[in-house]
């Protein structure tokens, strides 16, 4: 029984992942994935959004 378990365990190590041929590494992430480019909003747009938020808050306070 012990011999059978040792042979079974040994066969698992021999088969490994099952890939034939040489193993390879995945390419680096900068090659593998595109870079994320964040486009900043224009300052005028940000100011407009802030003004709208202030107006909405003022309306809620008045109600």
């Amino acid at each position: 029984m012990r011999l059978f378990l040792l042979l079974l365990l040994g066969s698992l190590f021999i088969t490994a992942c099952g890939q034939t041929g040489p193993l390879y590494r995945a390419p680096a992430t900068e090659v593998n994935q595109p870079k994320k480019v964040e486009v900043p909003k224009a300052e005028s747009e940000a100011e407009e959004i802030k003004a709208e938020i202030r107006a909405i808050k003022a309306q809620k306070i008045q109600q």
Side-chain angles (χ1 to χ4, degrees):
M1 183 68 176
R2 251 187 204 180
L3 179 61
F4 176 72
L5 290 175
L6 287 174
L7 288 174
L8 181 65
L9 185 62
S11 66
L12 288 176
F13 283 118
I14 291 172
T15 57
C17 66
Q19 180 175 351
T20 59
L23 297 177
Y24 59 91
R25 294 182 69 170
T29 56
E30 60 266 6
V31 175
N32 195 8
Q33 299 173 355
K35 292 183 180 179
K36 294 182 180 179
V37 178
E38 188 174 320
V39 180
K41 289 187 177 182
E43 289 182 21
S44 60
E45 288 181 34
E47 292 298 324
E48 289 177 15
I49 293 171
K50 287 179 184 178
E52 289 178 17
I53 292 172
R54 279 188 235 122
I56 292 171
K57 286 181 179 179
Q59 287 177 354
K60 287 184 179 181
I61 291 173
Q62 289 176 356
Q63 292 176 355

